[in-house]
Amino acid sequence: MQQIQGVVENIVFQNEENGYAVAKIKDKSENITIVGCIPFITEGQNLKLIGEWVLHPQFGQQFKVSGCEEIVPNSIVGIERYLSSGIISGIGPVTAKKIVEKFGEQTLDILDNHIERLKEIEGIGAKKIALIDDSYSKQNEIRNIMVFLQTYGVTPNQCVKIHKRFGTESIKVVKENPYILTEEISGIGFKTSDKIARSLGIDAESPFRIQSGIRYIINQFCGLGNTYMPLEKLLKEGISILGVTKEKIEENIYDSSINGKLKLEKFEDKLCVFTIPYYYCELGVTKKILTLAVNDYGDMKINVDEEIESFENDNCIKFADSQKEAIRGAIENGVEIITGGPGTGKTTIINCITEIFEKLKLRVFMAAPTGRAAKRMTEATGREAKTIHRLLEMGVGDEEEPGMLFSKGENSPLECDVIIIDEASMIDIMLMNNLLKAVDISTRIIIVGDVDQLPSVGPGNVLRDLIESRCIKVVRLKEIFRQSTESMIVVNAHKINNGEMPLMNQKNKDFYFIKCEDVNKITDTLISLVDKRLPNFNKKWNKINDIQILSPMRKGILGVSNLNKKLQDILNPKAQNKKEKEFRDIVFRVGDKIMQTKNNYSLKWTRVSGEGEYEGVGIFNGDVGFIQDIDEDKDTVAVIFDDERKVIYDNMYLDEIDLAYAVTIHKSQGSEFPVVIIPMYMGAPLLMNRNLLYTAITRAKQLVVLVGELKAIKFMIDNDRSFERYSLLKHRIMDIMESEVNVVVSEDEVE
């Protein structure tokens, strides 16, 4: 290894995600090109670099960096240049010059030990000193973390997250337990943590290593929607990732179970491995739903049929028999599930049920899993609906108990008589458990959703499991309301759900297919539809707000990543007066439509319009917003979600947002758009299934346009297989019900 030293003159290229950079440094009188992982490199830094000389066939001799260390400047010129580089928030070239002129060679000592003396300089007040102090101390801490972790492929952005999570203890924590990074920091996998651990001398067969790997594998598997992992799958994956024997993995699984870190449960002669949270969530939902289902709620002392007839007369409608059954069931039972596709009158039923309960002076709460779904529920019913998180008064944990916490729960139940939950197909096992904890034993709960939609993004198959457990009153709505039969979107949704080809291109209807065989032509057609053809067809449709492309996949020419770049160029092009920020391989620009891609329970928001709390926490997977501003000084991006809530993103959280001119069908759950355009092309068979297409077209309110191959449509409709989800919720409920029946039978026999 060789060593060079020099001042960074120019940064040719810099990748913020992985720290890779190409730069020019001046070593004495010589200009040298350096390449490699050099986190937080900035012009003006004096660096000591370790590496080797390489000869690039195109660019000539370069110094390939394997390690770097910043040399704190000791000359007045060097100090001024260092401070002018912009590496410290609040100090630019003008302020740097003033500081150096005032304190000279003592400048860095002032910043380290006497920061309050900066107020001696005109224009620097208490607020600016606080900004400089915070930035300077963080920059030093983060640089130390980066120097420690840079050889392991940990990105600068992840280093910032590590610092935010563990603070000044970051390096100590990582040295004591490298595997904590896998559990606590998004984007860091087991292999990275394992590489650090192995370099620190942790043995490959150490129980500490194997048990951390086991938890990682199960968590990854549950991230696909499962609540447990079959033992045989865990063993197979463990051997592959950990490189140890099957016996070693089995031994550590059982040890983890004995130590209370995992739960083993037998089902149909096979062992299921649970992490503790999902195990207790399934138990919690099972216990509470059965308790509510068997509770005696007493006679409501109201003639339901008369109330139904009165509602019909007032609203000039006629309910179908199944719809009347749903209304009666809600009044007569403690728990009811109402499921049905589009146009089957679920919202009208909710309105009728609510009106009856309100006549009885009962307090009704309404909620849905997402902000958009709650907003639609409010618009459709004329009554306030909240997100489930807001209903439960979500807060943020602390270092002792990170993640989401709810004020409402077993010790502080929701103060109402009836809870109506819409879009229930999106509720995962953890959210359902938290919701049911907050439901008092005397409170009715009505669960409404379309069981044929895609299941929740999070673990579990809650709505389907509850329906198939047969412990709850379930009403399936199949008849389409008369006014809905005019919509081919509704008709075709039901056709697709029944395995039939949709009716397309009927004159003056709302469901069209444009045949296109070549992927590049499909792309051009999609862009033309969004940019010109559809806005010209209906002047009320806004290109960005009202027209949404939904694709089955992320990658490829017709995947959302490529489509977003092309659509951004057309719908929100680069302009001289339009601020933008490059992050990873995405350019974020003021005016861009973006989507939050994962739940973040700690992001703070402030309300800029609408009713409700002025501020709160939590932005969730699938929330859509628009970039309002990019602050180049503070390096932040301001986003307005649903025209109501403003969130300030710094670099640390920018990897949680993505452009949203095109989104995956999975990410569109719970949303509705006036116009939906879907590229139809052959992709991975597991993704090309019926309920994916069904979910996509049911997102549209006014128009659906399919563009691509007819055979892709037929393949998706014929393929009614969906991802198998591993969940024991249904079986837990059924086992308890069967055991109760057996007990009753035994007692009868004794008598």
Side-chain angles (χ1 to χ4, degrees), residues 372 489 510 534 538 540-542 544-548 593 671-677 697 699-705:
R372 285 201 158 195
I489 297 172
D510 54 9
L534 292 176
N538 187 332
K540 293 180 181 178
W541 289 337
N542 179 279
I544 299 176
N545 292 332
D546 299 328
I547 302 173
Q548 184 65 56
K593 183 179 183 180
S671 298
E672 276 189 356
F673 314 96
V675 180
V676 165
I677 308 172
I697 68 168
R699 300 306 89 208
K701 293 165 69 177
Q702 298 173 24
L703 181 70
V704 168
V705 183

Side-chain angles (χ1 to χ4, degrees), residues 612-631:
E613 297 90 343
Y614 172 71
E615 58 184 19
V617 292
I619 299 296
F620 302 105
N621 194 349
D623 284 354
V624 174
F626 288 86
I627 295 178
Q628 179 199 48
D629 187 34
I630 294 173
D631 190 320

Side-chain angles (χ1 to χ4, degrees), residues 81 182 380 436 522 669 691:
R81 189 165 190 177
T182 298
L436 291 177
I522 295 173
Q669 285 176 270
N691 71 340

Side-chain angles (χ1 to χ4, degrees), residues 26 104 124 204 254 263 277 329 368 408 455 517 594 632:
K26 193 165 187 177
I124 300 183
Y254 292 124
K263 273 286 184 183
K408 294 297 181 183
E517 300 289 336
I594 64 95
E632 294 167 345

